[in-house]
Amino acid sequence: MSESLDYDVTKVMAVLPHRYPMLLVDRVEELVKDESIRAVKAVTINEGFFQGHFPGRPIMPGVMIVEALAQAAGVLAMESLGLAGSGKLVYFMAIDGAKFRNPVEPGCLLSLNVKFVQKRPRVCKFAGQAMVGDKLAAEANFTAMIADPPGS
């Protein structure tokens, strides 16, 4: 049976290189190595993108929701492959079948649910769903590459 992990934003930042304003994972509620992750993004009115998307009707941009899913997948990949703290980065390679079902507004807790579809040492495929409560906000399949940072 796989080990289940749960950790806060400090541990997330130890695994991902992202920082404010691009860090979109606030907490990992459950991580089952080699299988899945359930993480959370607390969506607040202070997010910079709400200033222009849209004035008077703030909605989280779909691309930011997909990025949040990708960051959760990055944590899953780094922990599953034993690369946390290695300096390696997880790069987006492809996004397929992205669909946006319900708006994500300030005050929401966005649940980021990602599963491995395929796991290899350098390239991984994932299926992700972003939920607000019991409502599907967005879903996508995506592929990522694990590599050294540029200039390494």
Side-chain angles (χ1 to χ4, degrees):
M1 182 167 182
S2 296
E3 172 188 7
S4 180
L5 302 173
D6 171 7
Y7 51 82
D8 65 11
V9 72
T10 304
K11 179 80 186 270
V12 171
M13 290 191 306
V15 177
L16 295 178
H18 304 77
R19 296 295 179 264
Y20 177 84
M22 283 305 298
L23 181 62
L24 300 175
V25 174
D26 293 321
R27 176 170 199 80
V28 173
E29 292 186 328
E30 181 181 41
L31 186 150
V32 180
K33 288 183 181 181
D34 302 319
E35 291 181 25
S36 63
I37 188 170
R38 188 176 72 246
V40 173
K41 164 65 180 152
V43 182
T44 72
I45 193 64
N46 298 326
E47 312 284 348
F49 47 76
F50 285 134
Q51 291 179 20
H53 199 270
F54 299 101
R57 179 68 169 100
I59 297 173
M60 187 174 185
V63 68
M64 299 303 284
I65 298 168
V66 173
E67 174 65 21
L69 286 168
Q71 288 181 22
V75 173
L76 175 61
M78 295 297 278
E79 289 286 359
S80 296
L81 295 169
L83 297 173
S86 69
K88 298 249 186 225
L89 298 178
V90 181
Y91 294 101
F92 249 144
M93 290 177 67
I95 303 167
D96 298 306
K99 295 183 176 125
F100 304 96
R101 306 292 188 189
N102 285 291
V104 176
E105 302 169 321
C108 291
L109 279 179
L110 187 62
S111 182
L112 308 165
N113 305 304
V114 180
K115 294 181 180 181
F116 273 117
V117 173
Q118 183 178 67
K119 181 175 65 82
R120 294 189 176 151
R122 289 189 41 99
V123 176
C124 298
K125 293 185 179 183
F126 306 92
Q129 291 187 323
M131 308 286 295
V132 176
D134 61 353
K135 290 186 178 178
L136 179 63
E139 60 188 330
N141 296 311
F142 42 96
T143 305
M145 172 178 64
I146 292 92
D148 290 321
S152 294

